[in-house]
Amino acid sequence: MKLKDLIAPFSVWKRATEKPYTAMKPLSERPGADRYRGFHINDQEKCIGCGSCEAICQNGAIDMVEVAGVETTLTDSGLRPRIDYGRCCWCALCVDICTTDSLAMSNEYVWIDEDPEVFRFIAGAEGKPWDNSEKGYRRSGGYSLLDPERVPMILEDPKKGVTSFIEMVKGYSADAARQEARRCVDCGLCIASCPAHMDIPDYIRAIRDDDLEEAVKILYRTNPMPATCGRICTRNCESACAIGVKGDPVAIRWLKRYIIDAVDPSDITAALGKEFSDSGKTVAVIGAGPGGLSCAYYLARMGHHVTVFESSKKAGGMIRYGVPEYRMPYDRLDDEIAHITEQGVTITYGVTIGVDKSLDELAASFDAVFISTGLPDASSLRLTGEDLPGVLSGVEFLERVARGETITLGRTVAVIGGGNVAIDAARTARRFGAETTIYYRRREEDMPADWEEIHDAKLEGVEIITQSIPIQLEKAARGKTGLVWGRARMEDQGPGKRPRPVLIVGETYTAEVDTVISAIGQTADLSYIAESKTASVGIDGNKVLADYHGRTENVKIFAGGDVVNSIGDAIAAIADGYRAARSIDAYVLTGKGKT
Amino acid sequence: MEQINELKARYSISDSRDQRPDLGFITVDPGRLAALLAELQQVRGYTHLSFITAVDYPETGTFQLTYMVHNFESAHSLGVRTVISRDTALMESVHHLWKQAKTYQRELKEMYGIDFPGSPGVDDPFILEGWQGPPPMRRDFDTRAYSEKTYFPRPGRKTSDPRRHMQSRLYPDYTPFEEET
């Protein structure tokens, strides 16, 4: 035996003070790997309750439930996912599909309890120890179950478009529409934002399934003017779209337009059918704008005899006389109105209530009356010089263009305002060859006009001067009009409030232009209502007072559209007309107002 | 891969490719697989079995099995593949070559329903204690249907559809027009 062999057993003792490489049992801590799929966490503030996690879960482990302190709003269902760990298989598809990236998984996986019921909880809302865990599974980059990018819309070349009134937005092809439709997660958050609560996910699904007949039926359930809304709707739905949280919202408006453009008008009639019972009741509708037409359409389909009184020569109201033809081609509007009159609706043109016929007469000769006369007159700028010959209003200008009148604008035009009428007037003025500038009091992001309209106007060469407050209008040399305006600074009004423009003293300019167009809002002359003797209806300024169901203080008289609601767009008027039709139906059949 | 070329004819290897300098794949008939693996282990230095795995192809009615073996001397891994019928789902066991093969085979039996007759404990549960459904890794396994059938709804489970919930909260008085037909 060698000496080395004798010492060897003792030499290992020199390692006695070192940290062992082996793990000791029993294990006291078992940390999950950094990207381990452990218990879920959910950022309650970021989550919008779209339910995509529930929809994708292959085990039915997720319920969408109410959570104390989370309000239901137009962009948040108020529901949050509750996970049943008796079913969860930790696959993390729910994290991968999450439209807001609020849902994730911690790397915690050890939790022992004798009560099985505790293994079902609302992730992120019940104060679990792992709620703020930085570790665990997050959706990895490089792939996405959601498609954040909208299928691009083909637009007419602005240089060519500005020389005529051809339609600028070309619409989706069938392939493009189906591709865009596939981006929808079918959550239905958008429905609440639509005044007509159109079943958006259902008609998008019908596009995916290529079932346009079904799609048409869904559209007409609450909206008899889909070709109009498919073009010019203010599309609040898109602001609520869950896909819009991380990407472009689904192009809901263009998808609606695709449906109605892809079917022949005769197919619409075939899809909807035309057989309905005759109630023998008569209803007068005042005004053939979207509100009146909508009310008339549904009343007719409920079996009532409807007569619409329209002061102009054609129907459509502001859609025809306020929206330029490059946005809403007249033939498409004509098709839409033709479908409504096909239901048995009679439109009497050139009759002005209050002039040719009184409201009292209508109330006496019909079973019910629906008032939807809109806001046809321009609001006053309340500035000196507003009555100068070179000054006209946006609504008047657009109406005269729609009537085909010859208008001389001159070489330079100033438009005052920031809404859709201002943009419509400016883009129309460009089509008359005028150099056009919009003057708006606030910043561009504050403009009430549709962002796509603002974008397209700029492409067409419309200049926008923001934070500019008009001070007065004056006569200038060579027959021009001087628009005196001052620069504004934005004054913060506190959180959640729109900053207010305040004139900067001493910084004023004068723009000398051939024509000034004012487009700062609209109003109505309701003297025809005020003057009625028997058919009394409550009014407040330029508004008729009516409730959610269109009921006025007079049981026989209903009202809706811009003359009632504070939204003032086509879809709100259409929704008003629809709800009023239901109320009128209930009233004429029972003699009682809807309760 | 020179070695592989020698084996090609004898074992009728149908496909071979190098994925990396240290990783290759070959495909062989199921009937020749055990013999090929024996030669790789005993003559060619592929002494280690790293794992056995399967891929389900319902489209072609087959399972593709992969036996990953490793040669420590050349630091080369070789994936030996074979394709078997999905209907019979039967494969010769290789536990006589590598003892640990029985564990992989037991797992494949449980997850894919592929049987390896004679493999010790092949029918014992692997991780799915008390499993009564079809093998869950088969691609036609309907997770949802299995869950609904097996894990009956626990009392207290209740869900809300976001759109209905929003309607009840934000516009309860609105009903879309459904014509009577």
Side-chain angles (χ1 to χ4, degrees):
Chain A
M1 184 176 281
K2 291 177 189 167
L3 183 64
K4 192 184 161 197
D5 294 334
L6 284 171
I7 297 169
F10 300 99
S11 69
V12 298
W13 287 100
K14 73 180 181 191
R15 304 233 179 251
T17 56
E18 291 176 17
K19 190 172 179 276
Y21 289 102
T22 47
M24 299 298 283
K25 276 196 168 184
L27 298 170
S28 52
E29 279 181 25
R30 303 166 188 239
D34 285 357
R35 282 175 53 74
Y36 196 78
R37 299 193 298 246
F39 290 111
H40 294 74
I41 47 183
N42 189 23
D43 185 333
Q44 298 290 300
E45 295 291 313
K46 258 164 101 181
C47 180
I48 54 172
C50 71
S52 297
C53 46
E54 181 189 19
I56 203 168
C57 181
Q58 293 303 293
N59 291 303
I62 300 181
D63 294 327
M64 295 304 291
V65 297
E66 283 182 79
V67 180
V70 179
E71 291 283 314
T72 300
T73 67
L74 291 176
T75 52
D76 181 351
S77 74
L79 301 168
R80 294 292 181 264
R82 183 175 63 186
I83 298 152
D84 181 350
Y85 288 93
R87 283 194 177 210
C88 174
C89 74
W90 317 86
C91 70
L93 275 174
C94 52
V95 176
D96 282 0
I97 195 75
C98 181
T99 57
T100 61
D101 283 345
S102 67
L103 196 62
M105 287 164 119
S106 70
N107 69 340
E108 289 292 334
Y109 67 104
V110 182
W111 182 19
I112 299 161
D113 201 294
E114 284 182 2
D115 178 7
E117 294 309 316
V118 303
F119 296 97
R120 176 177 60 197
F121 60 87
I122 301 163
E126 299 188 13
K128 299 295 180 199
W130 49 78
D131 276 353
N132 295 315
S133 168
E134 293 291 322
K135 289 181 176 175
Y137 184 78
R138 304 289 183 277
R139 189 174 65 84
S140 14
Y143 76 98
S144 175
L145 299 181
L146 304 169
D147 181 358
E149 276 174 41
R150 177 179 282 204
V151 176
M153 174 52 73
I154 298 163
L155 298 176
E156 183 62 68
D157 173 12
K159 285 197 184 72
K160 196 177 147 207
V162 81
T163 61
S164 75
F165 279 84
I166 54 165
E167 189 166 24
M168 294 301 290
V169 177
K170 294 303 174 197
Y172 278 144
S173 68
D175 281 343
R178 279 194 294 268
Q179 196 189 330
E180 181 64 17
R182 281 195 288 270
R183 298 179 60 229
C184 171
V185 287
D186 203 359
C187 67
L189 248 56
C190 49
I191 300 174
S193 293
C194 175
H197 306 301
M198 298 189 74
D199 202 337
I200 296 158
D202 272 15
Y203 70 68
I204 290 179
R205 190 186 309 124
I207 295 175
R208 280 203 296 270
D209 298 345
D210 214 8
D211 186 352
L212 293 184
E213 187 183 323
E214 175 65 16
V216 164
K217 282 185 191 165
I218 297 166
L219 294 181
Y220 273 86
R221 228 176 262 163
T222 55
N223 184 347
M225 301 187 79
T228 299
C229 292
R231 287 173 166 76
I232 59 104
C233 187
T234 46
R235 57 188 170 140
N236 295 317
C237 51
E238 292 183 19
S239 315
C241 177
I243 301 299
V245 174
K246 289 193 295 183
D248 303 331
V250 174
I252 299 169
R253 178 172 62 174
W254 299 148
L255 288 176
K256 174 158 54 253
R257 169 174 164 175
Y258 161 73
I259 295 168
I260 211 72
D261 282 6
V263 297
D264 193 77
S266 62
D267 293 338
I268 298 173
T269 308
L272 300 172
K274 237 177 84 176
E275 292 295 314
F276 20 83
S277 56
D278 183 350
S279 71
K281 302 291 179 184
T282 58
V283 183
V285 171
I286 313 174
L293 290 173
S294 164
C295 187
Y297 173 86
Y298 290 106
L299 284 172
R301 291 188 76 87
M302 289 164 186
H304 310 302
H305 296 265
V306 186
T307 308
V308 182
F309 295 93
E310 169 56 49
S311 60
S312 300
K313 287 192 184 118
K314 285 187 170 174
M318 275 296 165
I319 306 299
R320 184 182 300 277
Y321 295 111
V323 180
E325 196 183 2
Y326 62 83
R327 281 178 72 198
M328 183 65 215
Y330 298 140
D331 55 344
R332 300 299 291 126
L333 181 59
D334 291 341
D335 286 347
E336 202 133 79
I337 294 163
H339 180 75
I340 292 169
T341 51
E342 261 178 46
Q343 314 304 318
V345 172
T346 310
I347 305 181
T348 311
Y349 294 102
V351 178
T352 307
I353 304 304
V355 176
D356 307 304
K357 238 180 209 316
S358 72
L359 184 59
D360 291 327
E361 279 175 75
L362 285 192
S365 48
F366 287 87
D367 294 314
V369 178
F370 179 63
I371 296 172
S372 56
T373 46
L375 298 175
D377 310 321
S379 300
S380 162
L381 285 169
R382 296 181 197 183
L383 296 180
T384 324
E386 195 174 354
D387 50 356
L388 287 170
V391 183
L392 78 164
S393 77
V395 275
E396 181 194 345
F397 169 56
L398 293 168
E399 183 176 334
R400 284 171 61 192
V401 174
R403 290 189 201 284
E405 288 178 29
T406 332
I407 300 156
T408 318
L409 290 175
R411 203 177 53 81
T412 51
V413 170
V415 178
I416 301 170
N420 279 320
V421 176
I423 300 280
D424 286 344
R427 292 179 71 186
T428 302
R430 284 292 296 139
R431 281 161 175 74
F432 279 83
E435 284 172 26
T436 309
T437 307
I438 290 176
Y439 293 84
Y440 178 56
R441 300 160 65 86
R442 293 184 160 86
R443 300 163 301 175
E444 189 174 315
E445 61 263 41
D446 302 317
M447 288 177 91
D450 190 299
W451 63 268
E452 268 176 313
E453 288 296 308
I454 299 169
H455 173 262
D456 294 353
K458 286 187 190 163
L459 282 184
E460 289 172 8
V462 173
E463 201 196 331
I464 301 175
I465 299 180
T466 52
Q467 291 172 241
S468 59
I469 300 181
I471 297 167
Q472 68 170 31
L473 299 159
E474 58 190 26
K475 252 190 179 149
R478 300 184 304 278
K480 286 181 188 274
T481 305
L483 163 64
V484 183
W485 62 275
R487 185 73 70 184
R489 62 184 168 80
M490 301 309 290
E491 198 179 80
D492 192 30
Q493 300 294 296
K497 285 185 187 150
R498 210 156 73 132
R500 197 170 64 91
V502 178
L503 202 60
I504 303 171
V505 178
E507 204 184 326
T508 54
Y509 306 86
T510 304
E512 292 191 1
V513 295
D514 294 304
T515 306
V516 175
I517 299 174
S518 70
I520 58 152
Q522 280 133 256
T523 184
D525 174 10
L526 298 181
S527 51
Y528 77 95
I529 296 175
E531 283 160 11
S532 67
K533 291 177 184 67
T534 51
S536 63
V537 176
I539 53 177
D540 178 14
N542 61 5
K543 296 280 180 190
V544 174
L545 301 173
D547 67 6
Y548 180 75
H549 301 285
R551 297 173 298 191
T552 69
E553 65 177 29
N554 188 316
V555 72
K556 218 176 167 174
I557 299 179
F558 300 79
D562 290 2
V563 77
V564 172
N565 72 51
S566 56
I567 305 167
D569 63 16
I571 188 66
I574 287 166
D576 283 359
Y578 166 72
R579 289 193 311 271
R582 294 198 83 112
S583 307
I584 293 167
D585 179 58
Y587 166 70
V588 294
L589 294 180
T590 64
K592 288 180 197 151
K594 198 175 155 108
T595 49
Chain B
M1 266 321 205
E2 279 163 42
Q3 300 201 53
I4 307 303
N5 290 332
E6 287 174 41
L7 298 170
K8 257 189 182 171
R10 269 196 294 132
Y11 292 96
S12 51
I13 290 167
S14 53
D15 180 35
S16 75
R17 63 185 177 87
D18 288 323
Q19 184 150 319
R20 295 195 310 250
D22 61 349
L23 176 66
F25 287 94
I26 57 176
T27 304
V28 69
D29 278 351
R32 307 287 288 156
L33 180 102
L36 171 62
L37 286 178
E39 177 163 349
L40 284 168
Q41 183 201 48
Q42 282 152 32
V43 184
R44 307 287 174 176
Y46 289 88
T47 53
H48 177 67
L49 172 71
S50 308
F51 60 81
I52 310 174
T53 189
V55 181
D56 182 17
Y57 291 101
E59 302 86 351
T60 53
T62 57
F63 288 114
Q64 181 196 59
L65 292 168
T66 300
Y67 296 72
M68 187 63 71
V69 291
H70 187 73
N71 183 330
F72 285 108
E73 239 156 74
S74 60
H76 186 261
S77 287
L78 185 64
V80 182
R81 285 179 168 154
T82 193
V83 176
I84 61 167
S85 154
R86 204 171 180 272
D87 292 338
T88 46
L90 208 61
M91 187 60 203
E92 193 178 341
S93 172
V94 293
H95 71 275
H96 58 287
L97 298 175
W98 289 280
K99 233 165 87 180
Q100 76 269 32
K102 70 174 186 186
T103 308
Y104 293 112
Q105 290 170 169
R106 187 171 140 204
E107 183 188 25
L108 289 169
K109 177 75 198 292
E110 183 166 272
M111 293 293 175
Y112 290 89
I114 301 169
D115 201 6
F116 297 86
S119 184
V122 73
D123 292 321
D124 295 347
F126 182 66
I127 56 167
L128 304 176
E129 273 177 80
W131 185 263
Q132 282 162 359
M137 288 295 280
R138 288 198 178 198
R139 274 173 50 212
D140 54 8
F141 176 74
D142 187 337
T143 311
R144 182 102 203 194
Y146 180 81
S147 277
E148 296 298 347
K149 199 173 122 223
T150 315
Y151 310 112
F152 52 89
R154 285 209 288 187
R157 280 203 57 174
K158 186 176 112 265
T159 190
S160 303
D161 176 24
R163 69 185 81 178
R164 303 278 162 257
H165 183 71
M166 288 172 88
Q167 172 163 19
S168 71
R169 285 299 152 98
L170 301 174
Y171 55 105
D173 295 342
Y174 194 90
T175 22
F177 185 48
E178 303 270 6
E179 285 164 271
E180 288 115 56
T181 45

